[in-house]
Amino acid sequence: MTAFAPSLDPSEVEKFSKMAAEWWNPKGKFGVLHVFNPVRLQFIKEQVTARLGRDPLERRPFAGLRFLDIGCGGGLLSEPMSRLGAAVTGVDPSEKNIKTASVHRDEMGLAIDYRVGTAEDLAAAGEDFDVILNMEVIEHVADPKAFTATCAAMLKPGGLMFVATINRTLKSFGLAIIGAEYVLGWLPKGTHQWEKFITPTELEGWLGENGLSVKEAHGVTYAPFSRQWRVSRDRDVNYMVVAQKG
């Protein structure tokens, strides 16, 4: 059996566990994710339908596909993926997060397989997926390079991995930490550590080492007047990529 290097950072798990009850409150501590979600969902739907031959006009275009939502938190991405027809497994190391996600899933009448655990647990069990969502997670793990390898090992040939994270630049320090956490109060102070941010070059290299090629990469910027996040060419702070295996 292949051994997968542990990437879990216990301090990060504790941090998010303390906020577990806030996941589904659009005005709570995860409010910024509720505003961010539409641009993430659009990117995922466009790329999956285009690259895996699905009809975007279908009500459930992801039917028959197995999705993994790593670091699923309260299920903000797992639920819409399920509604689009995917068979979704959501994994999170925080028992409190999984409990919050499970309660909300039951209230919505959805079928989502939530598990307390890590990517390494699933990989060691030989699980595989058509699509892996690695959204706003990689900058919180202890060993992002090993984490990327573990995720890649679970992806079926031709499968897609989505990664959303934050670039390590002076601009991101000013906007994602000073601005978002200390000035605007979008996120609790200490949510992010600048030195754990990941450059697009680093991420693309780790993906390439594990047989994945980046197909699309976009920046995501905030438009204050419309209060909306938008896809852009500016990857200095937030960015998203989709990579395909094989």
Side-chain angles (χ1 to χ4, degrees):
M1 181 179 292
T2 303
F4 294 92
S7 61
L8 187 68
D9 186 334
S11 65
E12 294 283 352
V13 178
E14 181 182 4
K15 180 194 305 179
F16 286 96
S17 291
K18 289 178 179 177
M19 299 185 284
E22 297 276 336
W23 279 104
W24 288 97
N25 179 4
K27 295 185 179 180
K29 292 178 180 177
F30 294 105
V32 67
L33 284 181
H34 286 264
V35 181
F36 195 42
N37 232 16
V39 73
R40 300 195 300 178
L41 296 176
Q42 182 180 357
F43 182 63
I44 294 167
K45 185 178 180 182
E46 286 177 352
Q47 293 297 320
V48 170
T49 54
R51 299 188 185 282
L52 298 185
R54 299 298 172 121
D55 184 353
L57 300 180
E58 287 281 345
R59 188 173 67 87
R60 293 166 60 85
F62 296 170
L65 296 176
R66 193 171 187 221
F67 274 55
L68 172 61
D69 185 5
I70 299 180
C72 63
L76 297 187
L77 273 178
S78 294
E79 289 199 8
M81 296 301 106
S82 178
R83 289 190 178 95
L84 287 169
V88 180
T89 297
V91 65
D92 197 287
S94 167
E95 190 171 343
K96 290 182 179 179
N97 284 349
I98 291 297
K99 184 174 182 179
T100 297
S102 298
V103 168
H104 200 272
R105 168 202 64 196
D106 294 344
E107 290 174 349
M108 297 295 106
L110 298 170
I112 300 170
D113 178 14
Y114 284 125
R115 308 183 195 181
V116 178
T118 64
E120 291 79 18
D121 295 335
L122 294 176
E127 301 270 7
D128 61 359
F129 301 89
D130 300 290
V131 178
I132 294 178
L133 305 180
N134 184 343
M135 311 296 274
E136 290 79 42
V137 172
I138 195 170
E139 70 271 20
H140 297 288
V141 303
D143 187 342
K145 182 177 181 179
F147 176 72
T148 302
T150 300
C151 295
M154 292 187 283
L155 199 60
K156 295 178 183 179
L160 301 176
M161 187 190 302
F162 291 84
V163 184
T165 190
I166 305 176
N167 198 351
R168 192 174 62 254
T169 61
L170 287 176
K171 188 174 177 180
S172 71
F173 182 79
L175 293 179
I177 294 182
I178 301 301
E181 296 182 17
Y182 289 84
V183 178
L184 297 172
W186 283 353
L187 297 166
K189 295 174 183 175
T191 297
H192 291 112
Q193 297 170 260
W194 182 82
E195 63 273 15
K196 295 178 79 171
F197 290 170
I198 294 159
T199 69
T201 300
E202 288 170 338
L203 178 59
E204 187 168 349
W206 299 335
L207 291 167
E209 288 171 9
N210 291 282
L212 278 73
S213 56
V214 172
K215 299 300 183 182
E216 293 276 348
H218 298 292
V220 186
T221 56
Y222 184 69
F225 294 108
S226 63
R227 296 183 179 180
Q228 292 179 329
W229 290 88
R230 298 174 178 171
V231 169
S232 80
R233 286 183 282 184
D234 181 357
R235 293 190 290 165
D236 288 348
V237 187
N238 296 84
Y239 67 98
M240 301 185 295
V241 307
V242 59
Q244 193 161 23
K245 189 171 188 177

